[in-house]
Amino acid sequence: MSAVVYGVGTTKFGRQPGRSGSSLGQEAILEALGDAGVDSVDAVYAGTVFGAPGTAQRALQDAGITAVPVLTFENACATSSTAFHEARHAVMSGRYERVLCLGIETMTSSFDGPITPEVTDSEGRAGLALPGVYALVASRYAYLHGLDTKALAQLAVKNRRHGSFNPRAQHGKEVTLEEVLASRMVADPLTLYQCCDISDAATAAVVGVPRGNDRDVRIAGSALRSGRLWDHRSTQPWGYELMGEVAAAAWEDAGIGPEEIDLFEVHDAFTIGELTATEALGLTAPGGGADLVLSGHTALGGRQPVNPSGGLLSRGHPLGATGLAQIAEAVWQLRGDAGGRQVEGARVAAVETMGGGTAGIDGNGCVVVVLGG
Amino acid sequence: MSAVVYGVGTTKFGRQPGRSGSSLGQEAILEALGDAGVDSVDAVYAGTVFGAPGTAQRALQDAGITAVPVLTFENACATSSTAFHEARHAVMSGRYERVLCLGIETMTSSFDGPITPEVTDSEGRAGLALPGVYALVASRYAYLHGLDTKALAQLAVKNRRHGSFNPRAQHGKEVTLEEVLASRMVADPLTLYQCCDISDAATAAVVGVPRGNDRDVRIAGSALRSGRLWDHRSTQPWGYELMGEVAAAAWEDAGIGPEEIDLFEVHDAFTIGELTATEALGLTAPGGGADLVLSGHTALGGRQPVNPSGGLLSRGHPLGATGLAQIAEAVWQLRGDAGGRQVEGARVAAVETMGGGTAGIDGNGCVVVVLGG
């Protein structure tokens, strides 16, 4: 049995400290159910990273979804991609006919700046917040391949331009190359505009068995794996090998290669994250990421747009809600509903979400999903 | 395909603020893998309620379990029962051959007394912590059936006596009826010794396909459901209807009735919780719970011992670790390895875990599992 997406829904992303997770969640749920044309589901696969116990249930009760199994997953940044991947498997195995996926995160009332790492992490004890982890990725990348910091900044310009066409994005204004380079240095070489923002949002999708509806979007493949130890013997930047392995598993599951994919939503929590993702996913050879940006290959209008939504750099990054936001963008693109940021003729899309960076391991987990085809 | 338990492991339960979740988790994992006689698994289904992102991964890395899918579930008190139920389904569907289940919770360094309810809950806004929720259960029960407060206290005496035979329990000393009744009133009619303690612990189990090993324990059935709205029109105590529905689904899945089950591990977070559970699970008619205690039916040596481990009242209640602690006890009992608390001739055991009480709903979720047979 295969599985399809019936519908998706998201709130606007941004600083919304006055809204509770349940209020945001309810809005996303109702849009997804309406988009799917259903008013009940067999189970709910929810996700939140920092939400209190019952966060999903609070959102569900007012939306009228009760008395079904509700699972809540946590997998760092890949939390709601994980819920989606698991929902797909639940439908494929014949366990459920349709599953509501839900991501909820409210961060702006809890954090002031980057997420505080745990003192129980080796990174936390070293004072290494996530901007620092990604700066080390950039340093290693520079050692291996050289790093064109202007190309890296240009990547932020590209994604913020895409985001200017996305009415749900937290940061909907374009920025210039000069502005990106001149913005405050957060963790060398990553300036402020190369770092995603914390955010408040909820996202949802309904996954079900094929029902012969033309608007439904096929889930062609997906893979999930968790990381290995930091290994000082590895020559690669943090996360690179994990992303590559998970992508290879997803391409095999879908029976296609990255060259056949029309657009990608990838985890650009920091600019260097997208640069390494495009290489790990096989859009180009190692070291070729900057050229993809400079040539326009990954920009709207290019051969393979990456983050047409504007990515995390524009949309903001409410951890447990991000994966389903990427899925929602892919669904809108494949239906031709993406407005000013539409990728013309999009038939196949891929989503990559990288979770973690804590725990001294090579990522808590990575999820890659292929939609359409 | 059916699924069996290959092995289980738990730390000691108690106030262990000097030990990290990863240290506790590693100990439980290594015992479970050793007990199972395996050194690798296909996936990890973990659970924690209050643990930070990466809690499971931190425990796994030193145990050498990496590069596999790691899912972390949160379902309030039913967190690791949920992980176990899901792992069973993953094995049954043929997705994985063996799955490590893991529960980790460290509470004593975060809480001083009962769990603080969230202000986003209706209960939290009303200042209704969980002892209060269960006191309301007792009040409703008293209205419906009358409540013998001595029988309720006797239930604590029974479970603490069972716990005196459990070397891993947080509270291993017996208490007298007089001590229970004279202990500090927490939420009328629940005195201190009728309330479980917060705790630090980790628990683990390996679930896999049948392999013809006599020590493996069959998972005969399981069910999971989440609650409905508090409904002022319901005549029943909070959680009662949900427990009954989930138990009925589990008995049907296992093809047996409660009268055929030799022992039960149920969610005695408060004495009244066990009393209502024995009725909701069908050991007796509504209102008959006190007689089960007074007659010795549910004591060690009786016809159907309930909480031979000593239950949450003796063992302590590290939220995300509790479900697998109940499972571990059932496995030890069915193997005849339960020492001084062994239920003679035990062939079939059932576990019930009730999660939640927040979120204005009838429990976040309830899980019932049947083992053996």
Side-chain angles (χ1 to χ4, degrees), chain B residues 54 59 65 88 101 123 151 156 161 164-165 195 197 208 312 343-344 365:
Chain B
I65 305 288
R88 176 198 177 213
C101 304
E123 293 90 339
R161 176 158 189 281
S164 73
F165 300 110
C195 307
D197 204 348
L312 283 57
V343 176
E344 292 307 322

Side-chain angles (χ1 to χ4, degrees), chain B residues 66-373:
Chain B
T66 57
V68 294
V70 178
L71 303 179
T72 297
F73 296 88
E74 184 277 306
N75 201 13
C77 305
T79 288
S80 58
S81 310
T82 296
F84 181 85
H85 172 76
E86 290 300 306
R88 176 198 177 213
H89 275 275
V91 170
M92 284 172 65
S93 72
R95 189 172 176 197
Y96 300 122
E97 291 202 1
R98 55 184 189 233
V99 177
L100 172 67
C101 304
L102 175 62
I104 300 178
E105 207 75 60
T106 56
M107 301 174 73
T108 67
S109 48
S110 310
F111 294 102
D112 181 20
I115 298 164
T116 317
E118 302 288 326
V119 293
T120 48
D121 295 349
S122 38
E123 293 90 339
R125 282 193 296 272
L128 190 57
L130 282 157
V133 170
Y134 276 90
L136 290 177
V137 170
S139 296
R140 185 65 192 170
Y141 187 95
Y143 173 82
L144 289 173
H145 307 298
L147 180 65
D148 178 345
T149 52
K150 276 195 188 164
L152 204 60
Q154 183 61 36
L155 195 155
V157 172
K158 166 182 79 73
N159 287 2
R160 289 292 292 270
R161 176 158 189 281
H162 294 176
S164 73
F165 300 110
N166 184 349
R168 303 190 193 209
Q170 182 158 353
H171 297 292
K173 270 179 51 183
E174 292 194 58
V175 291
T176 65
L177 185 64
E178 294 66 36
E179 285 171 327
V180 175
L181 288 168
S183 64
R184 181 160 59 84
M185 182 60 72
V186 173
D188 192 10
L190 303 169
T191 56
L192 183 65
Y193 289 161
Q194 301 190 54
C195 307
C196 68
D197 204 348
I198 59 172
S199 192
D200 306 314
T203 51
V206 180
V207 172
V209 296
R211 55 179 182 173
N213 184 326
D214 285 347
R215 292 184 77 245
D216 294 348
V217 171
R218 190 168 81 99
I219 308 172
S222 69
L224 158 68
R225 204 160 298 173
S226 291
R228 278 166 307 204
L229 299 172
W230 277 104
D231 187 339
H232 65 281
R233 293 165 299 190
S234 169
T235 59
Q236 293 300 324
W238 172 88
Y240 183 84
E241 289 168 342
L242 179 64
M243 279 189 283
E245 283 172 22
V246 175
W251 307 155
E252 186 183 344
D253 189 30
I256 62 166
E259 66 286 353
E260 301 167 73
I261 295 171
D262 301 311
L263 68 102
F264 297 80
E265 286 283 314
V266 308
H267 199 72
D268 63 331
F270 302 89
T271 45
I272 188 67
E274 175 174 322
L275 198 80
T276 54
T278 53
E279 298 177 14
L281 269 56
L283 277 74
T284 183
D291 281 347
L292 289 183
V293 178
L294 296 173
S295 69
H297 185 100
T298 54
L300 275 173
R303 203 336 244 123
Q304 293 183 300
V306 173
N307 286 322
S309 70
L312 283 57
L313 289 170
S314 299
R315 190 170 48 227
H317 183 25
L319 272 64
T322 282
L324 284 169
Q326 297 174 302
I327 300 282
E329 177 70 12
V331 167
W332 291 325
Q333 289 283 352
L334 294 170
R335 285 177 175 168
D337 289 343
R341 63 189 192 281
Q342 181 65 48
V343 176
E344 292 307 322
R347 285 184 54 257
V348 187
V351 163
E352 177 266 338
T353 327
M354 182 71 184
T358 58
I361 62 163
D362 190 358
N364 283 347
C366 181
V367 177
V368 174
V369 176
V370 183
L371 294 161

Side-chain angles (χ1 to χ4, degrees), chain A residues 49 52-53 57-58 61 67-68 70-74 82 85-86 89 95 118 121 224 226-227 229 359 361 364, chain B residues 49 52-53 57-58 61 67-68 70-74 82 85-86 89 95 118 121 224 226-227 229 359 361 364:
Chain A
V49 177
Q57 283 87 346
R58 278 190 287 281
Q61 68 174 346
V68 295
V70 178
L71 302 179
T72 297
F73 296 88
E74 184 277 308
T82 296
H85 171 76
E86 290 300 306
H89 275 275
R95 189 172 176 197
E118 302 287 327
D121 295 348
L224 157 69
S226 292
L229 300 171
I361 62 162
N364 283 347
Chain B
V49 176
Q57 282 87 346
R58 278 189 287 280
Q61 67 173 348
V68 294
V70 178
L71 303 179
T72 297
F73 296 88
E74 184 277 306
T82 296
H85 172 76
E86 290 300 306
H89 275 275
R95 189 172 176 197
E118 302 288 326
D121 295 349
L224 158 68
S226 291
L229 299 172
I361 62 163
N364 283 347

